[in-house]
Amino acid sequence: MSDSNRSLASDENQSFMKNQRLRAEDIIETISIDCLVFGLNKGQLEILLVQHGEGIREGYWGLPGGWIRNNEDLDAAAYRLLHDLTGLENVYLEQLKAFGRADRYPGKRVVTVAYYALIRPEHYHLVAGFTASDVRWEILSDCKGLIYDHDEILASGLEHLKNQVCREPVGFNLLPKKFTLLQLQEVYEVILGVKLDKPNFRRKMKKTGLLRPCHEKQENVPHRAAALYSFNKEVVYKQLVL
Amino acid sequence: MSDSNRSLASDENQSFMKNQRLRAEDIIETISIDCLVFGLNKGQLEILLVQHGEGIREGYWGLPGGWIRNNEDLDAAAYRLLHDLTGLENVYLEQLKAFGRADRYPGKRVVTVAYYALIRPEHYHLVAGFTASDVRWEILSDCKGLIYDHDEILASGLEHLKNQVCREPVGFNLLPKKFTLLQLQEVYEVILGVKLDKPNFRRKMKKTGLLRPCHEKQENVPHRAAALYSFNKEVVYKQLVL
DNA sequence: AGGCTTATTGTAATTATGACTACAAGATTT
DNA sequence: AAATCTTGTAGTCATAATTACAATAAGCCT
């Protein structure tokens, strides 16, 4: 972005780019990634936030994100950054969308590509690293005043999540390997923000074939123990009308 | 991308960026836009393509696209480029997703943000302009061998369209203001690639409230004239199961 | 034992769906 | 003018899905 004949795309520029490209660690600082990671804790949706340890937003909280590398696929950059900033590994990330208001980043033009994931917080150990000085889970309703346009990314991701939960079995990511039908129902309720009828929910879920009975029951609960199920990935998901 | 201390984000660099930012016409050449425009002609889906009049892909056909400007919102860039390349105006564009494989563009790192639209071809006059030497509609099934990763963008957009058509009333964009129920059914059939039952389709559509009767009939048709309807934008769209 | 909580099954009215049939309204052909 | 062709539109009906409940089961707790 720095030489003045940029828009000419001259031959020298072209060949310069090619050489530049060989340096794997090079960074463009024009395209960034931000990761919106949803977790479920005590029946509430939470978002994974990091505190910036350097740069123009030092000390402020926002979504984990950073610059893509020159020779790195967009998806790969998302995985790398999420891991380096928060310690999270083996998380399934999906692209949400690109955010590119001209004034979204102060002082220069940056387009960010947002990714999102649903995970179970207790399965992961958070480790702040790279440019992040701290990491924490924040209850969704308290996630306000994030840096840049991260509030907007969050709103967009939540919208997307609500749409997706009825079309793909993403809710299962927020649950333990073995779960009860009520736990599953609560996931749907908290994402969609509605109350569902228990008998009917159970019946619909069973029909999808997504549930594989564990032939086990809850233990140490002060009431009748519920049957445990696990998620059957094999089945093709049919649209779910709740 | 050209100075070697890029990744340091030095102060000089920062302030340089700020000055740079004031030049509205400046271009980054790192982020591009590509527009996937669907049209319907004689019951077939078509895609709007342009022939590159300059650059490394001169003479080849691909989706209309180009560089975003430094001070331009992503959405605005999409509208500008579509207009400048093809002459299309007043088209509703929606972001599809970002495509960012490291090797998707030869010689340098370019991430593209794809937008898509559904329009009625006969409503628009095509004018090749800017970097495009030609524009044309191409039947969907013949859209192969496009430049860069445009085949991939097309496949992704088609997938998205199929999902969207049952959740939002996008099919109406492909029809005239006043249309018959059979025309509407044909839109759904061609997008989804299935045959639908006429009486049942009509019944379901009427229940959505999306149809506003015009109290008019077709004219000059060699058979019983069908009632004409227009699209009622006011109604909240309820999921459509076809 | 009786009460509490949650799990699980059952039922009945209503509505939606899918595959058809039948009829209507024009235009065209005989 | 009648027959016929094409498409539009309405109706039927068996089946399945949805909803809103009621009822029962299985445990823990006091």
Side-chain angles (χ1 to χ4, degrees), chain B residues 19-203:
Chain B
N19 294 332
Q20 185 76 349
R21 191 161 171 267
L22 298 175
R23 293 189 49 198
E25 71 284 5
D26 271 340
I27 285 178
I28 315 179
E29 286 208 9
T30 296
I31 301 161
S32 67
I33 298 283
D34 285 298
C35 299
L36 179 58
V37 183
F38 290 95
L40 190 72
N41 186 20
K42 301 193 195 81
Q44 288 196 299
L45 274 183
E46 296 184 329
I47 307 293
L48 189 61
L49 299 180
V50 298
Q51 186 179 39
H52 281 216
E54 57 180 65
I56 55 174
R57 284 292 182 268
E58 187 175 337
Y60 289 90
W61 291 84
L63 302 177
W67 308 115
I68 69 165
R69 288 184 183 151
N70 223 336
N71 71 334
E72 181 181 47
D73 289 351
L74 219 41
D75 294 354
Y79 285 104
R80 171 181 59 83
L81 285 160
L82 184 62
H83 176 252
D84 289 355
L85 290 161
T86 71
L88 260 56
E89 260 179 311
N90 300 321
V91 168
Y92 175 66
L93 285 167
E94 200 165 292
Q95 194 189 120
L96 181 59
K97 64 174 281 192
F99 291 80
R101 284 208 331 269
D103 62 355
R104 65 170 294 280
Y105 193 96
K108 63 175 166 177
R109 181 58 188 276
V110 177
V111 169
T112 198
V113 180
Y115 281 75
Y116 88 121
L118 275 71
I119 68 167
R120 211 153 63 95
E122 60 269 41
H123 267 182
Y124 299 91
H125 177 56
L126 300 184
V127 184
F130 194 38
T131 61
S133 55
D134 203 359
V135 202
R136 73 158 197 269
W137 289 102
E138 177 70 89
I139 294 171
L140 178 61
S141 52
D142 294 340
C143 282
K144 293 179 182 109
L146 302 179
I147 54 171
Y148 312 133
D149 56 355
H150 288 188
D151 286 343
E152 188 186 336
I153 295 175
L154 174 52
S156 174
L158 197 60
E159 193 60 38
H160 184 83
L161 176 58
K162 285 185 186 180
N163 287 327
Q164 194 174 40
V165 79
C166 288
R167 284 180 299 129
E168 289 185 65
V170 290
F172 293 86
N173 291 329
L174 294 168
L175 291 171
K177 284 255 185 307
K178 299 173 180 181
F179 53 85
T180 70
L181 286 170
L182 186 56
Q183 287 177 302
L184 182 60
Q185 181 177 341
E186 280 163 355
V187 170
Y188 278 85
E189 288 181 338
V190 71
I191 291 176
L192 296 171
V194 295
K195 282 299 270 181
L196 300 169
D197 180 85
K198 202 158 30 160
N200 292 338
F201 177 83
R202 142 189 308 270
R203 191 161 23 137

